[in-house]
Amino acid sequence: MPTAQRLKLQSGGHDEDILVDVETGSFAALCEEDGRRIVRQAGKDTLWDAVEELLGRWPTAGTPSVEGATVRVTPGGQSIHW
């Protein structure tokens, strides 16, 4: 999600974590209500579904440390590798 930005807001006495894709206008909002985590998402891309899928890959990859990551930036874009 290279064009997504993360925001943290307070709404109705609750903290809300929000991802907004600035190119597509898609968003995902996560908050906790009554001990349950609730996700709302809308737009062209289902951002939260993508987050869950990517997080699912992390244990499969052997839970690599941040120190093992490399970032490559070229005129064509950026990539992160473990």
Side-chain angles (χ1 to χ4, degrees):
M1 293 174 277
T3 58
Q5 296 183 5
R6 181 178 175 260
L7 308 165
K8 189 166 194 119
L9 302 174
Q10 270 203 335
S11 175
H14 299 280
D15 287 336
E16 196 165 26
D17 289 291
I18 302 171
L19 285 176
V20 177
D21 188 316
V22 296
E23 285 191 5
T24 68
S26 301
F27 80 91
L30 170 69
C31 68
E32 188 171 328
E33 291 181 16
D34 301 322
R36 299 180 316 150
R37 291 192 175 120
I38 298 171
V39 174
R40 295 176 292 120
Q41 60 184 346
K44 177 184 170 191
D45 299 320
T46 52
L47 296 179
W48 192 255
D49 294 350
V51 167
E52 286 186 333
E53 194 271 326
L54 291 170
L55 285 174
R57 290 184 190 180
W58 187 63
T60 304
T63 58
S65 67
V66 172
E67 290 81 13
T70 59
V71 178
R72 182 173 183 207
V73 179
T74 67
Q78 76 176 23
S79 59
I80 301 172
H81 301 275
W82 272 285

